[in-house]
Amino acid sequence: MKVSANGASIHYAVDGHGPWLTLAHPLGADLSVWDDLVPALAAHFRVLRYDSRGHGKSDVTRGPYSVAQLAADATALLSSLEIPRTHFAGISMGGAVAQQVALDAPERIASLTLIDTTAGYDAADADLFLQRAATARSQGMKELAAGTLERWLGERFRKHHPATSERIRALVAQADPEGFAAACEALAAFDVRTRLGEIEAPTLVLVGENDPSTPPAVARRIASGIAGAQLEIVPDAAHLSIVEQKQFVTNALATFLQGTASNV
């Protein structure tokens, strides 16, 4: 299904019944990255997933993008679907978008779950995103897919789950180069580290213990910056903990959400 939101056609899917729960995916992926978690979550929540601008089946508009723009897309999608308030969970880029929505439209957020993400990148990491943007535009996504997979999934998981690993690699390899590059530019400029104290929604921060991209130290800084935030380390997981440790993440998310469900 698609709706027009903030000047772009946004592809989305809805599953289940109950309080709304919105899921935002990482850079270079699409809503299918949440597939394995949806059945359990949809038993208790009405789960909204969507493809971010430039990704999946949503429009690839001219870049560069900004995280504020991607957050406005999410808020416009909620308005188009007449969702006044939602739990919001985002991983990696989706976690950046989640923080921005909580800052720009706090009345829409019942709770926040931030998974393997950051509140802002230092200069060296920001430069890496700009380099990836340039590579995507000049050489295409296949040049980036293998390195992305190594950061996202641990070596042992890749060895023992080759089909799942290949599905994730192919997802990145098939991403639109311009959409990916424009989103890379958004992440390079993203920084809300000094604003975390403004977030008032109940917040859960999850991070893979072996995440090389946004390691536990980064997650601890986010959790310490948001009053009352809970922090959980996902064992034996790299950057894509929702795939590598789907049961742990599902349980942690469900427990947290059921404790805050009265906020919707």
Side-chain angles (χ1 to χ4, degrees):
M1 295 178 284
K2 289 188 175 183
V3 296
S4 178
N6 195 36
S9 177
I10 301 296
H11 174 247
Y12 71 95
V14 175
D15 298 272
H17 301 278
W20 282 101
L21 166 62
T22 301
L23 305 177
H25 64 73
L27 172 71
D30 63 23
L31 61 78
S32 70
V33 79
W34 296 99
D35 280 356
D36 290 344
L37 280 70
V38 168
L41 295 172
H44 303 283
F45 295 90
R46 196 170 188 189
V47 180
L48 167 65
R49 295 175 290 159
Y50 69 97
D51 292 339
S52 183
R53 177 189 296 261
H55 292 70
K57 297 177 182 176
S58 291
D59 279 353
V60 180
T61 59
R62 184 183 300 274
Y65 305 157
S66 68
V67 172
Q69 179 185 27
L70 300 180
D73 290 348
T75 305
L77 174 62
L78 296 177
S79 295
S80 294
L81 298 178
E82 299 182 344
I83 302 172
R85 192 166 166 85
T86 181
H87 300 286
F88 203 115
I91 179 167
S92 195
M93 179 181 77
V97 172
Q99 291 169 76
Q100 194 72 56
V101 173
L103 289 166
D104 294 346
E107 72 283 356
R108 311 301 289 268
I109 300 298
S111 75
L112 206 56
T113 300
L114 307 174
I115 309 171
D116 298 303
T117 193
T118 184
Y121 290 99
D122 294 332
D125 289 326
D127 284 344
L128 280 177
F129 280 104
L130 297 179
Q131 292 170 26
R132 289 171 191 157
T135 298
R137 288 187 173 117
S138 64
Q139 301 179 48
M141 290 303 300
K142 289 184 179 180
E143 296 296 321
L144 294 162
T148 299
L149 186 66
E150 290 177 2
R151 292 190 300 274
W152 280 13
L153 299 174
E155 181 178 2
R156 183 166 60 181
F157 184 91
R158 299 196 308 270
K159 178 180 178 181
H160 291 289
H161 302 276
T164 299
S165 299
E166 173 56 23
R167 176 173 65 87
I168 297 300
R169 189 206 64 79
L171 186 64
V172 178
Q174 295 162 10
D176 184 277
E178 179 56 32
F180 177 90
C184 281
E185 291 164 339
L187 289 172
F190 174 67
D191 191 350
V192 296
R193 285 174 287 190
T194 62
R195 299 188 63 195
L196 289 173
E198 299 174 36
I199 295 176
E200 297 181 350
T203 300
L204 171 66
V205 182
L206 294 171
V207 63
E209 69 170 340
N210 302 319
D211 185 345
S213 300
T214 52
V218 171
R220 290 189 184 98
R221 287 196 289 272
I222 294 174
S224 66
I226 301 174
Q230 304 174 35
L231 172 66
E232 287 200 45
I233 307 298
V234 183
D236 195 22
H239 189 57
L240 201 64
S241 62
I242 63 171
V243 170
E244 200 162 2
Q245 293 290 351
K246 61 184 178 183
Q247 195 60 57
F248 184 98
V249 173
T250 300
N251 291 344
L253 182 55
T255 298
F256 170 69
L257 292 176
Q258 287 166 4
T260 61
S262 61
N263 290 330
V264 169

